[in-house]
Amino acid sequence: VAMAATRNVMRAVRVFEFGGPEVLKLQSDVLVPVPKENQVLIKVHACGVNPVETYIRSGTYARKPALPYTPGSDVAGVIESVGEHVTAFKKGDRVFTLETVSGGYAEYAVAAANRVFPLPNKLDFRQGAAIGVPYFTAYRALFQKGCAKAGESVLVHGASGGVGLAACQIARACGLKVLGTAGTEEGMNVVLRNGAHQAFNHRDPNYIERIKACTEPAGVDIIIEMLSNINLDADLQLLSRAGRVMVVGCRGRIEINPRDTMSKESSIIGVSLFLATEEERHECATAVLDGIEAGWLKPVVGLEYPLEKVAKAHEDIIHSSGARGKMVLLL
């Protein structure tokens, strides 16, 4: 009887109060959630860590989940069971998710069936956990909001992280000229291996001048911006006529001169995957699954942590010297 009783509990990370990484508590007696109609239960093998999860945890983000909660949206694993009316998946299917209902930093997670996608055998679970938020965000930034076209140039500002590498791969596959920045030699090499035509070190004091020289005289058509509170002012100087900055990441305020947008009729456009419509998500999913099949979509996995080290993961994603791919938790 004791054996059977232990099977309906799992290890999961719980947040009982907003605050620093130390509020992430690993518990071993959390009830395994049960999928309702149009939901699936996934046995989690890996879960991606996204910067936004640290903002939500700190309580400073616009969206605040009800406490207590389990963070995590990008899981990869195997279908354990399905709720009523689910026909697209069955027990044993390999899948990845875009978001979860119950939280991904856990041994099992419930997700809506329409936020779950088949994980092809050519990708492992670690790579599966690096697809959802990064690739859907990159696709949305480039095409749904940025209206990118083949032949245009794109600067990925902060290209060595999960979203950055996704943007480089997608933009290169779709015929754009791709420039990327990173903070380390290793990061620059990863960027070049994943679709960028040229890479720049954003710790080099003259790197903006180098990008300018490389894109003269027209400037850059699109900038995918991961740290707009540092870079937005400089970005406006780099843009082409009718160029656009896509704000994907921001950690604070910045002062800019709006006149810089007038001289080129340039745009600053915010990107939020959370606001995507069902149709837009379907479009992202189709593009992503096509990319996996075609072979150019290859998620790069960076630092890996066991669930016990989740607080360290949250610290490192904000304070590490330079990203090299998508950070994942392994279960």
Side-chain angles (χ1 to χ4, degrees):
V1 178
M3 284 273 302
T6 57
R7 259 195 229 119
N8 59 1
V9 297
M10 63 174 180
R11 294 188 314 143
V13 173
R14 303 291 281 161
V15 175
F16 294 92
E17 58 179 331
F18 296 113
E22 70 282 353
V23 303
L24 297 161
K25 305 287 187 202
L26 179 58
Q27 304 202 298
S28 54
D29 58 351
V30 179
L31 285 175
V32 174
V34 177
K36 299 187 172 78
E37 60 177 354
N38 301 315
Q39 293 181 340
V40 298
L41 178 67
I42 299 163
K43 183 174 189 351
V44 179
H45 286 253
C47 180
V49 180
N50 295 295
V52 70
E53 286 147 24
T54 70
Y55 312 151
I56 294 169
R57 182 215 70 228
S58 70
T60 58
Y61 196 63
R63 298 202 315 279
K64 282 193 184 63
L67 296 166
Y69 77 98
T70 295
S73 56
D74 293 334
V75 310
V78 175
I79 297 281
E80 179 74 18
S81 62
V82 302
E84 276 186 286
H85 312 311
V86 175
T87 52
F89 300 103
K90 62 183 185 310
K91 184 176 166 67
D93 287 350
R94 288 165 43 97
V95 294
F96 71 93
T97 67
L98 182 58
E99 58 190 61
T100 67
V101 176
S102 60
Y105 297 6
E107 289 177 321
Y108 292 90
V110 161
N114 65 356
R115 301 285 191 275
V116 176
F117 308 96
L119 179 64
N121 284 324
K122 61 169 85 168
L123 299 183
D124 63 29
F125 291 118
R126 294 154 49 249
Q127 291 173 299
I131 302 172
V133 169
Y135 282 88
F136 282 58
T137 299
Y139 184 87
R140 181 169 180 74
L142 281 163
F143 298 105
Q144 293 177 341
K145 296 290 161 192
C147 305
K149 292 182 187 63
E152 287 192 312
S153 58
V154 60
L155 168 65
V156 184
H157 218 154
S160 61
V163 179
L165 289 169
C168 289
Q169 289 179 2
I170 295 171
R172 181 64 180 255
C174 295
L176 283 91
K177 181 186 179 184
V178 185
L179 314 176
T181 75
T184 63
E185 197 65 38
E186 193 186 351
M188 287 164 67
N189 289 332
V190 171
V191 169
L192 288 168
R193 282 201 303 273
N194 284 281
H197 293 87
Q198 281 180 278
F200 304 85
N201 189 330
H202 54 63
R203 294 182 201 277
D204 168 357
N206 300 321
Y207 87 102
I208 295 286
E209 298 312 314
R210 294 199 170 148
I211 295 172
K212 271 188 181 149
C214 172
T215 58
E216 276 177 345
V220 184
D221 297 307
I222 303 169
I223 299 177
I224 306 292
E225 183 51 71
M226 309 305 164
L227 201 57
S228 47
N229 53 300
I230 302 293
N231 300 324
L232 188 57
D233 188 48
D235 288 341
L236 295 177
Q237 323 301 321
L238 290 170
L239 286 178
S240 65
R241 185 163 172 192
R244 48 262 188 225
V245 180
M246 314 308 303
V247 177
V248 171
C250 181
R251 296 182 187 171
R253 303 176 69 83
I254 185 172
E255 189 173 309
I256 61 164
N257 184 347
R259 188 179 293 274
D260 294 337
T261 65
M262 295 159 63
S263 54
K264 297 170 182 171
E265 293 195 325
S266 54
S267 316
I268 301 166
I269 302 167
V271 180
S272 169
L273 188 55
F274 187 68
L275 296 176
T277 63
E278 206 56 61
E279 292 74 28
E280 287 171 331
R281 266 192 297 264
H282 180 70
E283 183 194 338
C284 289
T286 306
V288 163
L289 292 168
D290 265 8
I292 296 172
E293 201 179 324
W296 58 258
L297 194 157
K298 289 201 184 79
V300 179
V301 177
L303 296 170
E304 302 172 10
Y305 299 79
L307 212 46
E308 296 76 35
K309 295 265 165 58
V310 64
K312 179 95 175 82
H314 268 225
E315 209 159 295
D316 291 351
I317 200 167
I318 297 300
H319 299 295
S320 73
S321 62
R324 294 172 305 283
K326 169 77 180 214
M327 182 182 283
V328 296
L329 299 171
L330 298 180
L331 287 99

